[in-house]
Amino acid sequence: MIENHAHAISALPRNRLLAEFSLWSADLVNLQRDLARIEAVADLHHIDVADGRFAPGYLFFPDLVAQISQQTKVPIHVHLMVEADSVEAQAAQFVEAGASLLSVHAENGDAGLRALAAAREAGVVGGVVLRLETPVEAILPFLPHVGMVTLLGTRIGVKGQSLAPEACGRLGEARRLIEAAGLSNIILAADGGIRETTVPALRAAGAETVVLGSLAFGAPDLAARIDWLHGLGGRAA
C-alpha cells in the first residue's frame, strides 16, 4: 500500500524506460497471481476505466482498485476514459480507492482540470491523456497541473491494434511542448500499439514509460523481457 502518492511518483527512476503494466491484459480470473508475478519488476500498475460512451466497453471499477492498493507497493495509475459530465465524480472515487496517479483526457476540458485540482488536494498526482485524433497542443492548459502526459498510439479502448504511423511524431511534438514550458519533471508516456518492434522507436521519440500489455504478460521469461526494456537507449536528440 502506498502512503505518500506524490513521493511514489516523483521517486520513479528517470534514467531508464519505465515498465507500466496494464492490468487489462492480466489474467483477470487469476489477478492476484499475476499481481504477485509482476510486483518485483513493475514501476506502475495501469488501470483503464471506460464508461461505454467516451470509449467502447466498460472497464474497471473503484472497488477493484481499492483491493489492489491493499496488496501492492507499486503505484497505481488510473486512466479515466470517461465523458466530461462524469469525470469529476469518477476521479473522486478512484482517488479514494488508492490511485497514486490519476489521468484525465484533455478532451474533458475544464471538467478534467477541476478533477485534477481535487485529486491534487488529496495528494494524488495528475496526468493528462490525448486521443490519437486530438491535436497535441491540447495538452498545453494541463501541463502546469500534471506529472505525466500520455499519448495514445491507437484508437481508444480497443486492444490489439497496430501503432499508428503518426504516433512517434506526436510524442516528439509533446516533448518539445513540455520542454518549452520548462517542465522537465513531467513523464511522457506511450499507450497502445506496444510491441517489441515499436518500443525502440517510441523510446527514441521521447517515451519515458510504455503501457505494457501482452508484451509483458505474455512473455515466457518476464525478467528477460524487463531487462530488454531497461536496456533500450535514451531518446533521440
Side-chain angles (χ1 to χ4, degrees):
M1 183 176 179
I2 302 292
E3 298 293 340
N4 187 321
H5 298 300
H7 175 74
I9 300 304
S10 66
L12 291 170
R14 302 297 294 273
N15 61 339
R16 60 164 174 78
L17 192 59
L18 300 174
E20 185 169 353
F21 282 72
S22 172
L23 298 187
W24 191 9
S25 292
D27 181 346
L28 298 181
V29 175
N30 296 289
L31 182 56
Q32 188 171 26
R33 180 202 65 192
D34 274 5
L35 285 169
R37 179 184 177 221
I38 67 176
E39 181 75 15
V41 295
D43 293 303
L44 289 164
H45 294 315
H46 186 98
I47 301 264
D48 287 304
V49 177
D51 62 359
R53 297 186 296 150
F54 188 84
Y58 297 90
L59 289 168
F60 291 109
F61 46 90
D63 285 351
L64 176 65
V65 173
Q67 291 183 39
I68 292 170
S69 72
Q70 296 298 317
Q71 298 184 40
T72 184
K73 295 181 179 180
V74 175
I76 297 171
H77 176 196
V78 172
H79 169 200
L80 293 181
M81 300 184 287
V82 301
E83 291 285 359
D85 60 7
S86 63
V87 68
E88 293 174 80
Q90 292 271 339
Q93 292 180 57
F94 283 97
V95 164
E96 184 178 357
S100 292
L101 174 63
L102 182 97
S103 286
V104 303
H105 270 262
E107 296 87 358
N108 289 154
D110 288 342
L113 287 167
R114 291 193 298 270
L116 293 182
R120 185 169 58 251
E121 288 181 8
V124 173
V125 178
V128 64
V129 188
L130 281 186
R131 296 173 74 128
L132 183 61
E133 65 271 22
T134 301
V136 176
E137 57 265 26
I139 66 174
L140 286 171
F142 290 82
L143 290 183
H145 311 291
V146 301
M148 181 179 284
V149 170
T150 302
L151 268 59
L152 300 186
T154 57
R155 289 182 296 112
I156 193 168
V158 181
K159 294 173 72 173
Q161 299 174 76
S162 298
L163 186 71
E166 64 268 32
C168 288
R170 286 168 57 82
L171 280 170
E173 185 178 352
R175 173 53 59 196
R176 289 188 290 274
L177 292 175
I178 290 168
E179 291 181 350
L183 296 168
S184 60
N185 60 306
I186 292 177
I187 299 169
L188 183 58
D191 186 0
I194 305 302
R195 306 284 187 273
E196 188 170 2
T197 54
T198 61
V199 173
L202 292 166
R203 175 61 166 161
E208 296 174 281
T209 181
V210 291
V211 180
L212 300 165
S214 58
L215 185 65
F217 283 105
D221 187 338
L222 181 58
R225 174 64 75 200
I226 299 304
D227 285 345
W228 166 81
L229 188 83
H230 290 170
L232 292 174
R235 61 187 178 88

